Amino acid sequence: MEDENSLVVEILHGFLGNERAHNPGRAQISFDCPVCSYDIKGLDKGDGKGNLEINYAQHVYKCWACSETNGTHGHLGKLIDRYGRKKDREMYELIRPDEFIREEKQKKKLVLPVEYKKFKDVHPVHIPRREAYNYLKRRGVTDEMIEKYDIGYCEDGEYKGKIIVPSYDSNGELNYFIGRSWNPREKFKYKNPEAPKELLIFNESRIDWSKDVWLVEGVFDGFFVNNSIPLLGKFLSDLLWETLYEKVEARITICLDGDAWLDAVKIYDKLSGGRLYGKIDIIKLPLDKDLGDLRGDVPPECYVKLEK
Ligand SMILES: [Zn+2]
């Protein structure tokens, strides 16, 4: 462990230069941030501020000045891949912790199932296509939504019998998809790829941050209101919280299923502060209803005013 720590420090010296502070007991070391100093300010000698803090036992880094604006935080491997020399990257591979390798490989490898088909590419009388399509129609999903959200389906393979809805991250890269069974007798309604839901934002690529944003529970709810983010559950992840805080320019409307009112209030409390104070609306649906049931038509009396 000692050896590994000193190797990481040596690698860091190699491409970041001299440290500005170092606490070996806590495995904390700080350097001038390459992102703020070089990329932004155009300084090739660093800005002398030592804002880039690294914990080499935990293999994480964060810049106190630009982590929010430039995403300068995360696993140390990302920093070394981006700013290290070839030699630094090779040395780091020797001690790179396993769990991070696995995580990063998983992220890179996510692709849609090979059996995924678009509705428009299959003849309408073909039976599985018709079943899948009729299921969507029953839930109020229109042809425009199918087109807009890249909705497809699988008639074979691991996702056989599932409607597929892909999710793309802010760079337009696939970061998740859901597989929803169209057969009501199927025991498992959903089959989704393994991915940490708290580390992804469903279809962030489709969000216009200058407009009002809706927070909804499920992907199907999201089809019925503009500019919506499905939580894939009833909780607001820290990642989504931070992203909303940073990016939302207009208002946020929280609309969970009718049976999740208390969870909706928790999200309201979490969001309603700082620069988002006074910009959060909340909707209380009838107990047995969700946005999909209502096709996105929320009766005016469901808008609730909360004190805060
Ligand atoms: Zn920085």
Side-chain angles (χ1 to χ4, degrees), residues 32-37 40 47 51-52 63-67 70 72:
D32 289 343
C33 169
V35 184
C36 335
S37 314
I40 302 174
D47 57 6
N51 282 327
L52 183 75
C63 171
W64 295 107
C66 76
S67 76
N70 293 299
T72 319

